[in-house]
Amino acid sequence: MSNKKSDTTFLVQGSALAIASIVSRVIGLLYRIPMTNIIGEYGNDYYSCAYEIYSMMLLISSYSLPMAVSKMVSTRMANHQKENAYRVFLGAMLIAVVTGTAGCVCVFFGAEFLTQIFQTPLSYLALRVLAPTLIIVAVLGVIRGFFQGLGTMIPSAVSQILEQIVNALVSVGAAYVLFGYGTRVAAVLGSDQHYAEAYGAAGGTLGTSTGALTGLAFCVFVFLGYRRTLRKGIRRERKMGTGEPESYGSIMKILLLTIFPILLSTTLYNLVSIVDQGVFKNLAIAQGNDTDTVSLWWGVYSGYYRVLVNVPISISTAIATSSVPALAAAYARKDNDEVKRKIGLSLRFIMVIAFPCVVGLIILGDPIMKMLFHTTTDLAGNLMMAGAVSIVFYSISTLSNAVLQGIDRMTIPIRNALIALGVNIVSLPVSLYVFHLNIYAMITANIVFSLVMCILNGNSMKKYAGFSPNVRKTFVKPAIAAVLMGVAVYVVYFVLYRLIHSNAVATVAAILAGVISYAVVLLLIKGLTEEELKSFPKGTAIIRIAKKFHLL
């Protein structure tokens, strides 16, 4: 009974973060529509280049901190060591301030050099605006990791939504104001360079900074409220004499030893996007394509395709984040059955979401792009139809990375990411020079990288956690339900579009039809049993509705 309760709590917490991630992504998607209309495809390219470099520096400086903190805090809380958990927080905060500041200085003063490497020199303006955000996000990540280690994702979830709301408002407003300023700069200089788009992109990145600052303010407020309770618990522990507190030197050593492998694996795993950008742009220009054409391609790929495809992937990221403290605690208790059960539940939950997203985006990729971004080109929709399958692979590899880190197999994701990155780097020039795929080479590279990671991580989970998924339940049944859903989506969209000639109405109706048909088919083919649904968030409510319609 306790295991079932643990599983339910684990998924509910993961779902809270997943819902917040989805809401944040949707807000991000919505504000990117007016922002893209303001700064255009070239502005998207400048924004994307600056953001990729910023993200890379964030990975190096502090990205691994939240996961390391949550893992270390959860193991100490499982052993009733509140004081040691708090010491982990303080030690991590010191590291965050130091590394965040170092990253900020490097990015701000190296902005022009870094953007030159990626053949996008005007994006240095946006990159410099992003530089101080490295300090803010580093500190924010430690606080989020601390609460995640305590077993609650709510502060992280709420702060994410607040952060994205402020981000949206400031990004659009600042992009509009600075785009106008850039237009005047270009006129004064008599230049035909895209100054308006470059300044507009800088306005977009200003939203990232102010949003992160808002999220930090909220988390600090929550932490200050919790600190009194934490101090009472620490005083109680001291009176009971439950053990000697760890020295700060020991904690810092463990923190660094935990951070380093996570840093390497997450850096390599996420390095693919920035490596691909540098390799693709330089090779595409070397092939004889002009810089404006390459910039346009990348603007569509990064500003349309990746923004949308990252929405379902964010669910797996949230579940992976919530799984680390739960897995670490179970692993510390040497409860192998619970470890395998949590991995299985997480994977099933992610696949139930990923498969319908893949099929839906393959069928409705072009209509959704045109509805959201009002684009007249078919490139964005075609990219989505070609690359949507990577959602499944990225979802699995993201979760499996977290699983391996949660069971103290820190170096395995590093090795696997190195192999996958090597295969990816080879596949990109082959796609460009042999098959002449242009920007579609990026889609091929994405699929190759994520698929290799999937296979390698899956083998590693089987070897080190003894976990093998139930293929029929985890993959086959959700895939069958998704394919049948796809038929319904296709029919509803094209029949409605022929009748009323409204892309937006037909698209929304097809999405609703897809949600309903997928749920019905999945339950009818026993893709989820009643017992399994009880472990899902709001499982009892879902069961009640399903029984009312005789689906269970």
Side-chain angles (χ1 to χ4, degrees), residues 313-324:
I313 293 174
S314 67
I315 298 173
S316 61
T317 304
I319 296 297
T321 300
S322 68
S323 73
V324 170

Side-chain angles (χ1 to χ4, degrees), residues 85-155:
Y86 185 54
R87 288 182 171 222
V88 168
F89 168 80
L90 295 176
M93 190 61 71
L94 176 62
I95 293 173
V97 172
V98 172
T99 57
T101 303
C104 173
V105 171
C106 290
V107 167
F108 187 85
F109 290 104
E112 291 188 52
F113 170 75
L114 291 168
T115 53
Q116 287 280 359
I117 295 173
F118 297 98
Q119 302 288 336
T120 321
L122 282 178
S123 60
Y124 83 92
L125 294 165
L127 186 56
R128 280 186 172 167
V129 172
L130 277 172
T133 318
L134 289 164
I135 303 172
I136 299 168
V137 173
V139 174
L140 176 59
V142 171
I143 301 176
R144 284 175 172 168
F146 179 71
F147 280 113
Q148 288 162 12
L150 297 178
T152 175
M153 307 293 158
I154 303 303

Side-chain angles (χ1 to χ4, degrees), residues 1 48 58 132 152 157 185 242 260 262 275 277 288 295 304 323 357-358 368 372 395 410 472 500 551:
M1 187 70 179
S48 170
L58 183 63
T152 175
V185 168
T242 54
F260 189 67
I262 294 177
V275 169
Q277 181 174 185
S295 182
Y304 300 154
S323 73
C357 288
V358 169
I368 289 174
L372 293 177
S395 296
M410 302 289 196
R472 188 163 172 266
I500 61 177
L551 299 174

Side-chain angles (χ1 to χ4, degrees), residues 71 75 324-336 338-339 403-409 464-465:
K71 185 175 185 293
T75 54
V324 170
L327 285 170
Y331 187 76
R333 296 193 301 269
K334 302 187 185 304
D335 192 342
N336 294 329
E338 188 174 357
V339 169
V403 166
L404 291 167
Q405 290 162 358
I407 61 172
D408 284 342
R409 298 292 174 178
Y464 297 109

